[in-house]
Amino acid sequence: MNKELALELYEAAVDAAAPGELTARAVDGLPIGRASRVWLFAFGKMAQPMAAAAVTSLLRGLHAIIGGVIVSPDPGAAPYPTIVAMRGDYPVPGRNSFAAAAKIAEVTPGRRGNDVAIVLVSAGASSLIAGAIRGLGDSDVTTLYELLQTSGLDVASMNAVRKRFSRWGAGRLALALAPAATHCLAISDVPGDDLGIIGSGPCAPDETTVKDITDILQRSGLLTKIPAAHRDFLIGITRGANPETPNKQHPAFAHVSSRVIGNTKTAVDGAAARARAAGLETNVADERLTGDASRAGEVIAHALLAARADGGNRCSIWGGEATVNLPPLVNRATTSGRCQELALAAARVLYEAGDRANGITLLAACTGGRDAGTDAAGAIVDNTTWPAIAAAGRDPGQALSRHECNGALRAVNAVIEQRNTGTDVNDIVVGLIQ
C-alpha cells in the first residue's frame, strides 16, 4: 500500500508542476493591449508545452502573434504558423544550439514601442540557445560548457560564467527586444529561483562583475583551462576595452517584467496536498534537498525513523536536488543517478534499523522523469530492499560505493521507470510511515 501511495504522491507533484497550466494562467494575466503585436519566445526542456499553452491563451484573447522562436531539446512542431520551432543541444551546446542562437538574432530586430514580447524560460535554456558573443568562436563555447560540466561548481556559479560568454545570456535578449514591453515567465530549477541564474538570465540584469567571474574560475582551477579567447575577453573588460554585462541600471530593463511561475515548491505543494487528502499528517521540509546524495539519504532515513517513533500515519516531503560526486575514472554510463543513490543509502539505514523501520517507505525521483543519465526516474525502497538486493546476487554496499545503484535497485524491481513527464523542477523525496 505504501508503494502505491508514494507513486500517487509523485504523480501529484509532477501534475502540479505541469508547465502548460502554469503558463496559461500566467499569460492570461499579462497586460497586453489588443492593438499590440505579440512575439513569442520559449527556451528550455519545457519550451514546447509552455509555448503551446501561451499560444492558446493569446488566441483566446484575440491577440496577433507576429512571430517568435521555440528551442527545445527534442524536435517538435511549432504551435502557430508564424513561430519557428528548433532543436538545441543539451547539456553541451553544438551546431543545433548555435543555429538556434542565430535564428533568434534574425527575429529580434525591429521591435516597435507598442510591441509585446513574451519570453518563456525553463531548465536547459543555457545550453539550448548558447552561441558565442561577438568576437568569440562557437567552438570555444562548447569547450567552456564541457569544462563547467565536470568542474564541481554549483549551478549559480556555472551560469554566472556561462552567461558572460553567451550571446543571449546576462540580459542580452532583453536589450535586443527593446523597446518592446517584455514579459519573462520562468519555471525554475535552481536554488533561490534567481531569474539571473535560470537559463543564464536572458532577460535579467547581471549582478556579477568580471572580478567575480575571475574568482570563480580561479577557485575551480578553470582559469588556465578555459579557451584563451575567453581569458583575453575577461582581461579586456578589466581594461575597459570590452563592455561589462548589462546591470539593472541599463534602460532596456525598464521595459521588462519577470517572474517565476513554477518551481520545486510547486511540485512539493502538489504532493503535500494529495497526502493530506489521504488523511496523512504531512510535514514539508523547510530546507532544500542538497549536498551529497548518499549522505542526504542517510539523514532522511534517520529523520523517518525518528518520526515513526512518534506513531501515527505520517508523510514527510523534501524537494531540491542532491549530487553524486564521481571519481575521475568512474564509467559514467553505469552510474547511479542522484535519486537512486539517495534511495539506496536510505535503504541501508532502514535495514540496519530492523523492526524500528517497519512501515517506512521512501521514494526519491526526478520530476523530469529521468534520474541523471540512467534509464529510471528514481526508486522506491524500504527496510527489505537492502537484503533483497543481496539475495538477488548483488552486493548493495559495493553498488553504493561504486555509484552503480541503478543495476542493484533494478534487480529487485525498486526503480521507477524513466518517462518524459513534460516538466523538470528538480527532485522530490517522499517518506511514508504507516
Side-chain angles (χ1 to χ4, degrees):
M1 183 63 180
N2 267 11
K3 180 178 179 179
E4 289 75 13
L5 181 55
L7 287 169
E8 281 186 32
L9 300 187
Y10 171 58
E11 294 297 336
V14 169
D15 290 345
E21 181 62 28
L22 294 173
T23 303
R25 289 200 302 265
V27 173
D28 284 346
L30 294 178
I32 304 174
R34 188 64 57 80
S36 296
R37 304 188 310 168
V38 179
W39 302 82
L40 182 64
F41 300 88
F43 315 127
K45 296 179 185 179
M46 292 169 263
Q48 284 284 346
M50 291 180 78
V55 166
T56 299
S57 175
L58 291 167
L59 294 180
R60 188 167 55 240
L62 303 179
H63 295 295
I65 306 172
I66 301 301
V69 181
I70 300 170
V71 187
S72 60
D74 303 305
Y80 196 71
T82 59
I83 299 172
V84 176
M86 302 183 71
R87 182 171 70 88
D89 304 295
Y90 177 83
V92 175
R95 61 183 181 86
N96 294 311
S97 296
F98 305 144
K103 176 57 70 174
I104 295 168
E106 291 178 18
V107 174
T108 50
R111 299 288 76 79
R112 301 174 186 171
N114 68 336
D115 282 0
V116 172
I118 299 174
V119 181
L120 309 172
V121 183
S122 58
S126 294
S127 176
L128 293 169
I129 61 170
I133 57 178
R134 187 184 300 274
L136 300 178
D138 285 338
S139 62
D140 286 341
V141 175
T142 299
T143 300
L144 178 70
Y145 273 63
E146 288 174 339
L147 288 169
L148 289 169
Q149 280 289 109
T150 57
S151 66
L153 290 169
D154 60 31
V155 66
S157 297
M158 281 197 290
N159 281 3
V161 175
R162 285 170 175 160
K163 64 185 178 181
R164 278 276 151 178
F165 307 104
S166 178
R167 187 171 188 174
W168 301 115
R172 295 185 180 100
L173 181 60
L175 270 61
L177 292 172
T182 299
H183 302 283
C184 180
L185 305 173
I187 295 181
S188 172
D189 65 329
V190 305
D193 300 333
D194 188 335
L195 286 158
I197 298 173
I198 303 168
S200 293
C203 294
D206 189 8
E207 301 298 329
T208 66
T209 65
V210 67
K211 183 181 183 304
D212 296 328
I213 304 308
T214 303
D215 288 345
I216 291 170
L217 292 170
Q218 284 179 330
R219 287 197 309 271
S220 61
L222 293 180
L223 189 58
T224 59
K225 297 178 182 179
I226 66 172
H230 286 173
R231 284 197 305 276
D232 293 341
F233 184 80
L234 293 176
I235 292 170
I237 295 175
T238 62
R239 294 176 177 173
N242 296 325
E244 261 284 9
T245 48
N247 60 30
K248 60 185 177 183
Q249 276 74 45
H250 196 288
F253 295 114
H255 303 272
V256 178
S257 68
S258 301
R259 68 186 181 95
V260 170
I261 61 172
N263 54 16
T264 306
K265 185 178 183 299
T266 307
V268 168
D269 287 348
R274 177 66 185 84
R276 293 185 181 108
L280 298 177
E281 183 178 337
T282 302
N283 173 66
V284 173
D286 292 329
E287 293 188 2
R288 181 182 175 86
L289 177 65
T290 187
D292 180 73
S294 290
R295 178 59 182 155
E298 294 168 356
V299 170
I300 288 173
H302 283 297
L304 293 173
L305 288 167
R308 183 185 181 278
D310 293 334
N313 295 332
R314 297 171 178 269
C315 174
S316 296
I317 304 173
W318 294 259
E321 189 172 287
T323 56
V324 175
N325 298 313
L326 298 176
L329 298 180
V330 167
N331 179 0
R332 291 179 178 270
T334 63
T335 58
S336 307
R338 57 188 180 265
C339 293
Q340 292 160 86
E341 186 151 316
L342 185 154
L344 188 54
R348 176 165 59 187
V349 173
L350 296 177
Y351 165 63
E352 292 173 348
D355 291 344
R356 292 191 300 117
N358 289 343
I360 296 178
T361 302
L362 179 141
L363 174 149
C366 174
T367 57
R370 188 180 187 192
D371 186 18
T374 70
D375 60 356
I380 304 178
V381 300
D382 58 21
N383 62 343
T384 68
T385 305
W386 190 270
I389 292 171
R394 291 177 176 265
D395 184 340
Q398 188 176 82
L400 187 59
S401 64
R402 291 184 177 180
H403 307 287
E404 296 176 348
C405 302
N406 177 264
L409 290 163
R410 186 168 288 283
V412 294
N413 298 316
V415 299
I416 302 168
E417 295 297 341
Q418 170 191 344
R419 65 186 175 89
N420 182 6
T421 64
T423 189
D424 189 354
V425 288
N426 298 139
D427 305 332
I428 184 169
V429 176
V430 174
L432 291 177
I433 302 169
Q434 288 190 313

